[in-house]
Amino acid sequence: MTSTSVVAVVPAFNESGAVGRVVDEIRTACPAAEVVVVDDASTDDTAAVAEARGATVLRLPFNVGIGGAVQTGFRYALEEGFDRAVRLDGDGQHDASEIPTLFAPLERGEADLVIGSRFVDGVGTYRPPLARRLGIRVFARLVSLLGGQRVTDTTSGFIALDRAGIELFAREYPHDYPEVEATLVALRSGLRLAQVQVEMRERETGSSSITFVRSLYYIVKVLLALLVASLRRYPRLEGAER
Amino acid sequence: MTPVRVSIVGVLASLLLILVVLELVRGRRLKERYALLWLATGVVLLVLSAWRGGLNTIAGWVGVTSYPPAVLFAVATLFILLVLLHYSTVISKLTDENVELAQRVALLEERVGRGPPTASRSPAD
């Protein structure tokens, strides 16, 4: 391996207050990476802030939701021929200094998809509210069951991909509330999954896209998506074949 | 037996539906593809309304003994459900295609290297 090209995909919707720092931190932690901010039709100056910090900005013409935005970044990674991609949220909840930790299993050739998990071995300090913790655990159990591998954190948006992973997610990525379903799709497509312990910060600005009113829709939608995804047939990826 | 007046109204209503659909297709306000289910609805209802003996027989099959025109309602409802379901699949496909187009626009715009200036973007509605 001579040089590995790395892209950091940062979906952002109205995150002008945080996205600049996110871009800076990625560039510090991972100077070789191209930082791509996907602006999901923000109404503030998210795109301008990101661009001023030297990020490549993909501007969606209208709001397509987090999944569609993230997928835009993966498509960019695919088309520009990147070997590796990491996804971090534009609100700053993911710590860019942990990117090397996420890439380690890819570098060792052990995985195609690495999830930054808050609950790998119970050493994390993240303690979400009870309802949320319960939901996270139920989804993790369900995905583990349906995907045939133990997954500890299916709702994490902090992930790293190799080429096979980029190819899969560029083609196939759910559009809203994507993380849980995407994990199952990856497992069923034969991607090798690794999980590393990460810490996540509290949000700095803005508010989580999952408000209390939307939780019910979230749960039902994800459950249906999981059910359907486990009934669907996914082509085994050539790149992931071994 | 179905009251004659119900049959007449049924025939007229189905004919009206068929004519309206044909007119919409003729004026290119409705694509043939989406007109087919509506035309099928109209034709089936027309046949069931006009062919009184048939409606009676079918009502007997499904166990409707007291009031055969109920079958007309049931069939109409079934077809409307089919049309709506069909539209849901169409909307889903359009949604996916729409997102894909948006993604392509974002990627191409970046490649062309002259995205619209952020300041002049109109706020989303």
Side-chain angles (χ1 to χ4, degrees), chain A residues 4-8 32-36 73 76-85 161-164 166:
Chain A
T4 312
S5 52
V6 175
V7 62
E34 177 174 347
V35 183
V36 174
Y76 180 84
L78 178 73
E79 290 176 13
E80 301 294 319
F82 282 96
D83 301 311
R84 271 178 211 149
L161 301 165
D162 69 358
R163 189 72 191 165
I166 292 172

Side-chain angles (χ1 to χ4, degrees), chain A residues 39 41-43 45 47-48 56-62 64 68 71-72 75-76 79-80 175, chain B residues 95-96 98-107 109-111 115-118 121-124:
Chain A
D39 174 26
S42 299
T43 50
D45 52 357
T56 302
V57 178
L58 303 177
R59 294 173 170 86
L60 287 159
F62 47 83
V64 299
Q71 191 182 34
T72 313
R75 292 203 157 153
Y76 180 84
E79 290 176 13
E80 301 294 319
H175 287 167
Chain B
T95 307
D96 280 348
N98 214 27
V99 169
E100 195 161 337
L101 277 179
Q103 293 176 332
R104 282 249 63 84
V105 166
L107 290 165
E109 220 167 64
E110 193 280 327
R111 197 178 289 175
T118 318
R121 300 184 103 210
S122 54

Side-chain angles (χ1 to χ4, degrees), chain B residues 18-115:
Chain B
I18 293 171
L19 287 178
V20 167
V21 171
L22 285 178
E23 172 56 24
L24 286 173
V25 176
R26 198 186 63 86
R28 296 181 204 286
R29 289 163 67 196
L30 179 60
K31 287 196 170 299
E32 289 83 352
R33 184 185 176 140
Y34 302 113
L36 287 177
L37 256 176
W38 283 124
L39 283 178
T41 309
V43 169
V44 168
L45 289 179
L46 179 64
V47 169
L48 287 181
S49 306
W51 182 30
R52 295 155 52 80
L55 186 63
N56 251 1
T57 313
I58 294 169
W61 289 344
V62 295
V64 177
T65 49
S66 54
Y67 192 62
V71 172
L72 273 183
F73 288 105
V75 170
T77 309
L78 185 74
F79 268 88
I80 290 169
L81 281 179
L82 278 180
V83 171
L84 288 177
L85 199 57
H86 178 229
Y87 283 170
S88 296
T89 67
V90 172
I91 291 170
S92 300
K93 182 159 169 275
L94 286 175
T95 307
D96 280 348
E97 289 170 348
N98 214 27
V99 169
E100 195 161 337
L101 277 179
Q103 293 176 332
R104 282 249 63 84
V105 166
L107 290 165
L108 289 175
E109 220 167 64
E110 193 280 327
R111 197 178 289 175
V112 172
R114 46 181 157 84

Side-chain angles (χ1 to χ4, degrees), chain A residues 131-143:
Chain A
R132 196 155 196 177
R133 190 160 63 226
L134 218 70
I136 291 172
R137 188 174 296 176
V138 167
F139 284 142
R141 282 278 162 81
L142 209 53
V143 171

Side-chain angles (χ1 to χ4, degrees), chain A residues 226-241:
Chain A
L226 289 180
L227 174 74
V228 173
S230 52
L231 296 174
R232 238 180 236 149
R233 207 177 281 274
Y234 289 95
R236 306 293 282 191
L237 284 174
E238 269 174 47
E241 222 140 331

